[in-house]
Amino acid sequence: MTNFENTLNEIDRLRNAINKIEEAENVPYPNEEEYTEKVERYNDLKESLEAEHSGTVRDVTSDYEKVQEKGMEM
């Protein structure tokens, strides 16, 4: 192979590698949805705990009902 052919092959290899990286950027992580739900639940519980410590208790009954509804959907 000549230097020109080697250069063309290297360009193709780099293009393919760049395309794979760009495609991978748009793919969600396997457990991203589960992680997001757990972070939301954590933040709700943290807020409730902080409210309880500050003396302003928040009713979490509706939170429990939402969690049960989500569980039934799965």
Side-chain angles (χ1 to χ4, degrees):
M1 289 189 147
T2 66
N3 282 339
F4 179 73
E5 290 172 334
N6 287 339
T7 301
L8 290 177
N9 288 337
E10 185 67 11
I11 290 170
D12 285 339
R13 187 187 69 77
L14 291 172
R15 269 194 195 127
N16 288 334
I18 290 170
N19 287 336
K20 287 181 183 179
I21 291 170
E22 288 174 345
E23 289 171 6
E25 286 178 342
N26 297 324
V27 175
Y29 292 108
N31 298 329
E32 185 173 5
E33 184 177 328
E34 179 183 348
Y35 170 78
T36 303
E37 289 174 5
K38 288 185 179 189
V39 167
E40 288 173 4
R41 180 70 178 142
Y42 166 79
N43 288 332
D44 288 344
L45 292 172
K46 183 178 174 186
E47 180 184 312
S48 296
L49 185 61
E50 288 172 354
E52 186 177 313
H53 284 266
S54 69
T56 55
V57 179
R58 185 171 74 86
D59 181 17
V60 294
T61 307
S62 63
D63 293 347
Y64 178 73
E65 292 167 355
K66 289 177 188 174
V67 169
Q68 279 188 327
E69 288 173 7
K70 282 186 179 180
M72 290 181 189
E73 292 174 1
M74 291 181 185

